[in-house]
Amino acid sequence: MRRGVSASRRVLGVLLLCAAAAAARADGLPGGRAEVRLGALAVLEGEDTRRQWQPLADGLQRALGVPVRLQALAPAALEQAVARGALDFVVTNPGHYVGLEARHGATRIATRSAGALGDPAHAVGSAVVVRADAPGPPATLAALRGWRVAAVAEEAFGGYQLAAVEWLRQGVDAEAGGLRRVFTGYPMQRVAQAVLSGEADAGVLRTCLLEQWERDGVVPAGALRVVPAAGDGGDALAPPGCRASTPLYPGWAFAALAGTPPELSRRVLLALLAQPGEGGELDGVWTVPADYQRVHDALRLLQVEPYAFLRETRLQALLHRYWGVAAALLALALAGAAYLLRVEVLVKRRTAELTHSLHERERLARQNAQHQEALGHLSRLSILGELSAMLAHELNHPLATIANYAAGLRRRAARGDLAPQDLERALRDIAHESERAARVIGGVRALARKRVPDRVAIAPRALVDEALALLGGWQPQAVRVACAPGAEALRVRGDAPQLLQVLLNLLQNARDVHRAAGREEQPIGVEIAAEDGCLALAVRDHGPPLSPEALALLFTPFHTTKPDGLGLGLSISRGIAEAHGGALHARPVPPHEGGGMRMVLLLPLAQPEAADGDTPA
């Protein structure tokens, strides 16, 4: 019966072959193509793959009447050729075809059966081989747990993936360490060599390949044995004369690529169906496309291309990938819960402590402000002591004038020669001198009085003139004032008595330095200028240079070089300057400029609109 069916198939093939050849000669190839470009997946040595598929290319060339250029390519090279459109058709295994279908839109037009009478839906499987002389030969694939298993590559369909599916179904996860995998790379002969040499305990081959190698002498006959399949179902039956360890899946696909004209695909399909088995009933033939759903199921189970995205979402993969993060999050959650419980217990106590600390800080701030005010007051009182002689001199003149006017009026009244106009002039002069004495006393009282600071716009020259007026007992040549161009129009915002206190302190220190150095004849310099957006008010003396140690301690509280000094003047003065947003610097004067020290008070300039609204001091 099989001989009759085979003969009928050959007759049908001859008729289809003649029809395809006649159509090709009549119309030529669609799209103006001069040849058909055919790519074949190389799983054997390069020449062996070419010899395997060259009869197919020759048969198509005869049927189509045009050249058919065959290219045997490794998986990566075949993928690149398809991506750049260098091929019209590909011949590849079912797993690789499913990937090309998903990535590049390949369409199968024929499926290869396992023999002339074979079923194309059950043509490809895996044969797991071990050495025939291995002790305790395994009876099932599950018995290989922990063995070293060789395979060509992880993406090889019949050379690894089908066996991996069966291991998973039998409870052995090869990827998770159930097997010690050894990937040899293509060609598949390396797998058999690894098993025979002892580099691996077992190897995965494509079905019927071991029998072909034994016939061709590549592998000694009987040197390797195939681990039997788990059951005897129809899917586990190997092609005639072959042994298999897995169920059989659809055969190799002959696929047209996305850029191939449909008419060319139709003619090639007719030519494929007309191709007879080259070596009889054991060689495969091309037939109508088989259903590849079982191939999809196997690849989905392995979660490999085109289903590799499933690896990102499966619970086992997520736990394996993020177990450290999950453990850290769990530990963090437990620590957070413990921390919240502890915080709940401590929050009231900490709140009370914080409230007490804030109150204490406010109290210390108020106390510090009071101490600063007290120190400033003491400094002003010490300055008043220095000004006592000046006060006596300033009051002596108006009082003496008043006394003289009073005595003169009394004598003239006794003589009876006091004219009304002379009396009016004398009384006017007495009132003027009284006001002069009152201004002197009022200035001293304002300096000594405690009060709330009031920030107003101040003219620097007016501040200097007021200080010199308070120091009126000095010789006229004792102070020389130099004002830079435009500096008289500058204004600063501050508390006039406090800034006056600073200026008086600097002038008094300069006079003490001149007295100690015997240079009272040299004038003290007062300089008014603008510096880096600030007002610079400098008092320059001509005393001896200070040592680096003395210069470093110049503004230290209670440090003084005067026998009767408190050591607070410069410290308080710097505090007043900083409270006004400025600074107080000591700058030694170079010897070539006469030596001495220049004490520079820097104050921020007031905004013009703010300064215009106030009356300068």
Side-chain angles (χ1 to χ4, degrees):
M1 183 64 181
R2 287 188 179 181
R3 294 180 182 272
V5 174
S6 179
S8 300
R9 189 181 186 103
R10 290 193 185 97
V11 172
L12 178 59
V14 171
L15 293 176
L16 291 174
L17 182 61
C18 293
R25 286 191 295 270
D27 300 332
L29 291 180
R33 282 174 166 75
E35 63 178 3
V36 175
R37 300 167 299 178
L38 175 63
L41 179 65
V43 296
L44 304 174
E45 294 286 357
E47 289 304 318
D48 291 343
T49 300
R50 180 172 293 277
R51 283 195 297 269
Q52 179 185 8
W53 298 112
Q54 191 60 51
L56 172 63
D58 295 341
L60 291 177
Q61 183 168 312
R62 288 192 301 270
L64 299 175
V66 294
V68 176
R69 181 160 59 93
L70 174 65
Q71 301 180 54
L73 302 172
L78 183 60
E79 183 85 18
Q80 294 174 3
V82 171
R84 66 174 184 268
L87 299 173
D88 299 314
F89 300 94
V90 294
V91 179
T92 185
N93 67 45
H96 190 232
Y97 162 72
V98 169
L100 293 179
E101 181 183 47
R103 292 188 295 270
H104 302 289
T107 304
R108 63 187 182 279
I109 62 175
T111 300
R112 187 176 177 84
S113 67
L117 301 179
D119 182 2
H122 302 88
V124 174
S126 293
V128 179
V129 299
V130 297
R131 292 181 56 170
D133 57 356
T140 62
L141 292 180
L144 299 179
R145 185 189 301 272
W147 286 34
R148 293 174 301 165
V149 179
V152 285
E154 195 169 8
E155 66 273 9
F157 186 69
Y160 172 72
Q161 292 177 343
L162 294 183
V165 169
E166 290 307 302
W167 272 310
L168 277 178
R169 289 171 177 168
Q170 297 181 31
V172 180
D173 191 342
E175 184 177 350
L179 300 174
R180 290 179 290 168
R181 301 181 298 174
V182 180
F183 292 114
T184 63
Y186 290 96
M188 199 169 286
Q189 288 94 326
R190 297 179 181 175
V191 175
Q193 294 170 1
V195 176
L196 291 174
S197 64
E199 297 177 9
D201 302 319
V204 183
L205 303 176
R206 199 180 65 205
T207 52
C208 299
L209 200 56
L210 176 61
E211 290 76 11
Q212 178 182 338
W213 285 344
E214 289 179 342
R215 291 195 303 268
D216 297 340
V218 176
V219 174
L224 298 174
R225 63 182 299 268
V226 177
V227 178
D232 297 329
D235 288 351
L237 295 178
C242 300
R243 291 161 289 176
S245 303
T246 68
L248 300 181
Y249 289 77
W252 279 48
F254 193 106
L257 300 178
T260 303
E263 178 61 25
L264 179 58
S265 300
R266 186 185 68 84
R267 295 183 181 180
V268 171
L269 172 59
L270 292 176
L272 284 174
L273 296 177
Q275 294 291 314
E278 295 297 328
E281 295 182 356
L282 294 181
D283 287 332
V285 295
W286 294 101
T287 182
V288 294
D291 182 8
Y292 277 54
Q293 183 58 44
R294 296 176 61 245
V295 178
H296 284 272
D297 295 340
L299 299 181
R300 187 182 297 109
L301 179 62
L302 292 177
Q303 296 183 350
V304 296
E305 290 295 339
Y307 298 101
F309 66 90
L310 295 175
R311 291 175 176 265
E312 305 297 328
T313 57
R314 62 179 180 178
L315 179 60
Q316 182 180 1
L318 292 175
L319 291 177
H320 179 73
R321 181 177 303 173
Y322 300 111
W323 70 268
V325 176
L329 290 176
L330 179 59
L332 184 62
L334 294 176
Y339 176 75
L340 290 177
L341 291 176
R342 186 171 184 270
V343 168
E344 189 68 22
V345 174
L346 297 178
V347 64
K348 292 184 179 180
R349 184 173 64 186
R350 293 291 176 87
T351 303
E353 292 176 355
L354 180 60
T355 303
H356 175 74
S357 177
L358 290 176
H359 290 166
E360 184 67 17
R361 181 177 179 179
E362 293 175 357
R363 186 187 66 80
L364 292 176
R366 291 193 299 269
Q367 184 178 354
N368 181 61
Q370 294 172 358
H371 289 170
Q372 287 289 341
E373 180 63 26
L375 289 175
H377 181 62
L378 289 176
S379 176
R380 290 193 294 272
L381 292 179
S382 67
I383 294 175
L384 289 177
E386 298 287 341
L387 297 178
S388 59
M390 177 272 298
L391 181 64
H393 178 273
E394 289 294 319
L395 292 178
N396 184 59
H397 185 271
L399 291 177
T401 302
I402 293 172
N404 289 336
Y405 273 116
L409 289 175
R410 187 169 54 250
R411 287 192 300 270
R412 294 186 65 176
R415 290 195 306 267
D417 59 351
L418 182 61
Q421 61 272 16
D422 294 335
L423 178 61
E424 181 180 357
R425 183 172 63 253
L427 292 176
R428 186 171 62 250
D429 291 342
I430 288 174
H432 174 74
E433 293 300 324
S434 299
E435 291 175 358
R436 177 182 173 187
R439 284 197 302 271
V440 173
I441 295 173
V444 174
R445 289 183 63 189
L447 185 64
R449 184 172 61 245
K450 287 186 177 180
R451 64 200 215 311
V452 177
D454 185 19
R455 300 289 177 92
V456 297
I458 302 172
R461 183 57 190 259
L463 188 68
V464 173
D465 292 342
E466 186 175 355
L468 295 180
L470 288 175
L471 297 173
W474 290 13
Q475 297 297 326
Q477 71 276 11
V479 179
R480 182 176 300 167
V481 180
C483 192
E488 292 188 1
L490 299 177
R491 297 292 184 271
V492 296
R493 180 168 290 277
D495 184 70
Q498 286 187 344
L499 297 180
L500 180 63
Q501 174 184 346
V502 175
L503 186 56
L504 287 173
N505 186 278
L506 297 180
L507 290 170
Q508 186 64 40
N509 287 346
R511 189 178 70 165
D512 292 342
V513 169
H514 279 204
R515 286 177 176 176
R519 299 178 181 177
E520 294 182 86
E521 73 283 356
Q522 288 186 289
I524 297 171
V526 177
E527 303 165 357
I528 304 174
E531 179 179 320
D532 295 333
C534 296
L535 172 72
L537 185 60
V539 176
R540 187 258 175 96
D541 63 59
H542 295 81
L546 294 178
S547 65
E549 293 77 10
L551 190 61
L553 297 173
L554 193 60
F555 295 97
T556 304
F558 305 105
H559 172 77
T560 181
T561 57
K562 301 177 183 179
D564 55 350
L566 295 177
L568 295 174
L570 288 179
S571 175
I572 293 174
S573 297
R574 169 172 276 190
I576 292 174
E578 292 176 350
H580 283 73
L584 181 62
H585 299 301
R587 299 175 181 175
V589 180
H592 67 273
E593 296 183 8
M597 183 70 68
R598 181 178 282 109
M599 305 297 295
V600 183
L601 174 63
L602 295 175
L603 297 172
L605 293 174
Q607 298 297 328
E609 60 273 10
D612 293 344
D614 296 316
T615 303

